[in-house]
Amino acid sequence: FEGAALIGENTRISGQLAWLDAEYDEFIDPRVVLNPALADLHDHVPFSPEFTARIAATHSFNLSSGAMLTLGGDVSYRSETWLSVDNRQELRQGGYALAGLFGTFDSANRNWQLRAGVRNLTDAEYKTDAQEFSSVGNIQTVYYGMPRNWYASFRYNF
């Protein structure tokens, strides 16, 4: 589900909400056949959070010069996500939220724009990907999302 609303002339709110009920109809794994104690090895489909959500808002200020200043922010949420086919606890990411803020300045003729902001405002630590090599020394690798980071960009339209 997603939607957007314009409140007045200069404020925009948007949001998304998703629910995913991912499950295997059948997962044939010889290890489970040989060892029934591993029956729950594939209970969760990897990279399939049950819930994701995002809400964002922007407000624009029309300046007397004709230029425009826009301020905005967003918060997103992802529920628990399993990052390995074998549902290894160490390769699981619990639910987490990320927030960001930004500001843009658009020139009066809209030929150029300056934008700056911050992502992962709260400096949350979260896993985004993992790999497991159970047949090669049981190696497990985790990749983390970006820490708090600042950015600035300049755009010119011609």
Side-chain angles (χ1 to χ4, degrees), residues 17-30:
L17 178 64
W19 172 67
L20 178 64
D21 186 20
E23 60 182 48
Y24 296 112
D25 287 334
E26 184 177 23
F27 195 113
I28 300 171
D29 185 336

Side-chain angles (χ1 to χ4, degrees), residues 41-142:
L41 193 62
H42 306 291
D43 281 353
H44 306 281
V45 178
F47 304 102
S48 302
E50 187 174 7
F51 291 101
T52 56
R54 179 176 179 266
I55 188 163
T58 60
H59 184 80
S60 298
F61 301 90
N62 296 312
L63 306 178
S64 60
S65 65
M68 183 182 298
L69 177 65
T70 302
L71 301 176
D74 71 324
V75 176
S76 61
Y77 173 77
R78 178 178 292 242
S79 65
E80 176 183 68
T81 306
W82 294 84
L83 302 173
S84 72
V85 174
D86 283 353
N87 294 167
R88 294 178 183 248
Q89 189 67 24
E90 308 81 33
L91 304 181
R92 178 187 75 69
Q93 173 59 56
Y96 65 94
L98 298 175
L101 296 172
F102 72 91
T104 60
F105 177 83
D106 289 285
S107 65
N109 59 11
R110 304 298 188 258
N111 281 351
W112 60 271
Q113 179 187 77
L114 182 61
R115 180 180 178 115
V118 59
R119 295 182 192 102
N120 192 0
L121 182 64
T122 63
D123 202 22
E125 184 176 285
Y126 60 101
K127 301 171 191 166
T128 60
D129 197 1
Q131 295 177 345
E132 60 180 321
F133 303 98
S134 53
S135 61
V136 185
N138 201 26
I139 296 171
Q140 299 176 39
T141 305
V142 167

